[in-house]
Amino acid sequence: MEQQTNPYRKMLSSAISGVLLEAGFDSADRDVLESFTEMLQCFLCEIGSMSRNYCELSGRCEPVIGDVILGFVEMGVDFSGLQQYVKNGKFMSLPTLQQQQP
Amino acid sequence: MDNENSNEELDNQQTTLGQPLSDFLLQLEDYTPTIPDAVTAHFLQSSGFEPKDPRLLRLISIAAQKFISDIANDALQHCKMRSSNNTSSHSTSKGKGSKDRRYCLTMEDLTPALAEFGITIKKPQYYV
C-alpha cells in the first residue's frame, strides 16, 4: 500500500470516505477514492483561482461572496440545491487526529 | 388581475433569488461540513484566495461536499441497478440477499456517473 505523504490530501480522502459512507456505500476501491481526491483538490483550487480573479478584476483585494458566486457560475456549479442539501443532511464530522508515534 | 399576480410572483422571485444567499451565509456558522476548514483553506491559499470571512470558507466546503455527494448518489444508483440486474438474472433466493447486500464503489459505477456530469475518466495505458 502506497503511503500518502501530503497530510492535506489524506484529510481530503478521509472526508470523501465519510461522504461516501453517508451516501450509502460500504466500501470503495482505492482508485475510486484517489480519483475523488484528485477531483476534490482540483475543485477547491479551481474555485479559489476563479474567485481570486473575479475579486481582482473588480479592483478589490478582499474577496466577497459575489466573487465566489461568480466563480461557481463560471465553473457550472448549480447553486440552487445547496441550501436544501445543508438542511437535509446531517454531516458526519471527522474524528480528531491522533498524534503519530515515531 | 392575472397580470398583477404574475407581476407579484415575478417580484417575489427576484427578491428570493438574491435573498437566500445572504440568509444562507448567516446560517452557515451552525453547519460543520465534513471537509475540515483548515484543509479547504490550505487548498484555497494554494491558488491565492484568502478569505477573511470564515463563512466563505464554509460555503466553498459545502459546495465541494455537495459536488462529491451528488456524484456518489449517482454512482450508488448505478451500483444498485447493476447488482439488482445481476441477482435477478442468476439468483434464486432474494429476500435476505437483497437486504444484506453491501455496496462497493468501483470504477465501473463511477465512470457512467461522472459521464453524466460531463467528466470523462479513462485509465492510462500504463495503469496496473
Side-chain angles (χ1 to χ4, degrees), chain A residues 8 12 23 25-29 31-32 35 41 44-45 48 51-52 62-63 72 79 81-82 85-86 91-92, chain B residues 21 25 31 34 42-44 47-49 52 62-66 68-69 72 76 102-107 127:
Chain A
Y8 291 102
L12 275 192
F25 283 106
D26 299 298
S27 57
D29 282 355
D31 45 355
V32 172
S35 306
Q41 183 179 348
L44 291 174
C45 289
S51 309
R52 194 208 44 188
E62 186 75 18
F72 279 136
F79 214 75
L82 211 58
Y85 174 70
V86 168
F91 301 144
M92 147 194 298
Chain B
L21 288 174
L25 207 64
Y31 297 101
T34 311
H42 171 263
F43 285 115
L44 289 179
S47 48
F49 181 75
K52 287 253 171 67
I62 288 174
Q65 196 178 321
K66 184 174 182 288
I68 297 295
S69 180
L76 186 67
R102 299 182 68 79
Y103 297 110
C104 180
L105 178 55
T106 57
M107 269 313 198
Y127 192 85

Side-chain angles (χ1 to χ4, degrees), chain B residues 2-16:
Chain B
D2 278 345
N3 259 345
E4 275 178 22
N5 275 342
S6 61
N7 274 345
E8 265 180 32
E9 273 176 22
L10 205 69
D11 281 348
N12 280 338
Q13 264 190 349
Q14 275 167 349
T15 47
T16 48

